[in-house]
């Protein structure tokens, strides 16, 4: 298990809730346990598995994954993160505590049509986690993790308050640093909706202490069970599931919840999970090579 301050990765939000969402990846990298290895996007015909890992121009991401007996990029599932799944410290913590190898390619992705708000629930560690909402005018940079089947199962288990949906790239354009446009990627959508802000629209995500302070300031009912300050909030919420449930009811009673029904067409949790190889790039099927799934 990683300590709360693993060198180079920063604190683990699950262990230090007021640091949520943690320190995100800012450039393509391979999460390798407690470290990040730089990953260089290769423009042109190569997909993510053909990107260069480290300074050696002949060593690709897939070369390294295969050498370790791990699935290559093409057999993995691209999953967009709006919150702490963009933080390598959190991802490594989630995987290593379940004894699953924490080797995950993590890539910033430019995405249009999605905003980042706050879920209308409190997570087990005591923080109010981020959640996506649809916004045709929004353009954000999110981090996509390429998760293998075992890793996806672990992350799914930590996202019980979310639906995993397959976001279509023609409706929500998503572009990698190489210029590749993804035809689809997975996204976790809150089962509880997102919190409304003072203007009635989705409350934007932000630093956890400021968010919790604003929620406390706006609700006497929340101050009663979680106040007076963010430190008390996370201590009380993390210690008692009944308090978390009551807070969720207060969100609804006070009219703070915005359902995200626009995601309903993309929910099919019984569907077979698609891999990166199953999702050819948009506008480049003829020019972009699929990541090979077998050795020579």
């Amino acid at each position: 298990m990683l300590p709360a301050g693993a060198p180079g990765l920063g604190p683990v939000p699950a262990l230090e809730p007021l640091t949520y969402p943690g320190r995100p990846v800012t450039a393509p990298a391979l999460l390798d346990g407690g470290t990040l290895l730089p990953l260089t996007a290769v423009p042109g015909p190569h997909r993510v598995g053909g990107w260069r890992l480290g300074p050696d121009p002949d060593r690709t991401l897939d070369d390294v994954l295969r050498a370790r007996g791990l699935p290559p990029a093409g057999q993995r599932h691209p999953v967009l993160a709006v919150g702490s799944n963009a933080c390598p410290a959190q991802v490594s913590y989630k995987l290593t505590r379940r004894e699953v190898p924490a080797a995950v390619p993590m890539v910033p992705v430019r995405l249009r049509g999605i905003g980042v708000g706050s879920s209308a629930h409190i997570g087990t560690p005591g923080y109010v986690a981020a959640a996506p909402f649809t916004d045709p005018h929004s353009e954000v940079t999110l981090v996509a993790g390429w998760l293998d089947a075992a890793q996806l199962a672990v992350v799914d288990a930590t996202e019980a308050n979310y639906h995993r949906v397959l976001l279509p790239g023609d409706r929500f354009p998503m572009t990698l640093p190489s210029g590749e446009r993804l035809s689809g990627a997975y996204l976790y959508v809150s089962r509880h909706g997102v919190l409304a802000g003072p203007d009635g629209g989705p409350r934007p995500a932000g630093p956890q202490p400021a968010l919790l302070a604003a929620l406390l300031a706006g609700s006497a009912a929340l101050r009663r069970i979680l106040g007076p300050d963010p430190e008390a909030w996370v201590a009380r919420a993390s210690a008692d599931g009944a308090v978390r449930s009551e807070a969720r009811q207060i969100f609804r009673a006070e009219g703070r919840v915005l359902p995200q029904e626009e995601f309903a067409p993309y929910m099919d949790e019984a569907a077979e999970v698609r891999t990166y190889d199953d999702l050819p790039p948009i506008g480049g099927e003829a020019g972009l090579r699929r990541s090979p799934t077998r050795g020579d």
Side-chain angles (χ1 to χ4, degrees):
M1 182 183 299
L2 281 180
L9 299 185
V12 177
L15 303 177
E16 299 183 38
L18 289 178
T19 69
Y20 182 91
R23 184 188 303 169
V25 163
T26 58
L30 173 66
L31 170 62
D32 186 25
T35 61
L36 289 174
L37 304 177
L39 186 59
T40 302
V42 179
H46 294 283
R47 302 196 77 192
V48 170
W51 290 7
R52 186 169 68 250
L53 189 68
D56 184 350
D58 296 322
R59 188 173 71 155
T60 69
L61 171 63
D62 276 355
D63 290 338
V64 172
L65 293 173
R66 283 201 185 89
R68 299 183 182 186
L70 300 172
Q75 294 178 356
R76 292 169 175 255
H77 314 286
V79 182
L80 295 162
V82 297
S84 64
N85 288 336
C87 170
Q90 182 90 323
V91 174
S92 186
Y93 172 77
K94 287 183 177 185
L95 297 176
T96 55
R97 69 196 298 260
R98 293 286 186 256
E99 299 184 349
V100 171
V104 181
M106 302 182 74
V107 179
V109 178
R110 192 170 72 254
L111 174 65
R112 295 208 307 270
I114 294 292
V116 180
S118 301
S119 182
H121 83 285
I122 301 176
T124 303
Y127 49 63
V128 174
F133 59 89
T134 58
D135 179 355
H137 306 294
S138 176
E139 181 169 328
V140 295
T141 297
L142 301 181
V143 173
W146 265 251
L147 304 178
D148 65 28
Q151 293 166 344
L152 183 63
V154 170
V155 175
D156 276 351
T158 68
E159 304 294 347
N161 288 290
Y162 293 77
H163 296 284
R164 175 166 43 78
V165 305
L166 182 59
L167 208 62
D170 55 353
R171 171 67 178 81
F172 301 93
M174 47 191 97
T175 308
L176 302 185
S178 61
E180 176 185 341
R181 279 192 58 193
L182 294 174
S183 61
Y186 288 99
L187 179 71
Y188 290 104
V189 177
S190 176
R191 296 175 183 267
H192 308 288
V194 297
L195 291 174
D199 63 355
R203 180 184 289 272
Q208 194 70 187
L211 171 62
L212 301 187
L215 293 173
L216 287 168
S219 171
L222 288 176
R223 290 195 299 275
R224 174 178 57 82
I225 64 169
L226 291 166
D229 52 34
E231 289 77 12
W233 175 305
V234 297
R236 294 181 180 185
S238 63
D240 192 341
V243 170
R244 298 193 297 271
S245 178
E246 185 176 355
R248 189 171 69 247
Q249 294 169 14
I250 291 171
F251 291 151
R252 292 195 173 277
E254 294 184 343
R256 295 169 177 256
V257 179
L258 300 174
Q260 289 302 295
E261 297 171 353
E262 295 86 350
F263 290 113
Y266 315 121
M267 294 183 186
D268 186 359
E269 294 176 331
E272 182 177 354
V273 183
R274 307 281 293 280
T275 67
Y276 182 45
D277 270 351
D278 294 330
L279 298 164
I282 291 177
E285 289 84 350
L288 283 168
R289 269 179 229 152
R290 290 161 62 95
S291 299
T293 57
R294 296 181 175 83
D296 293 338

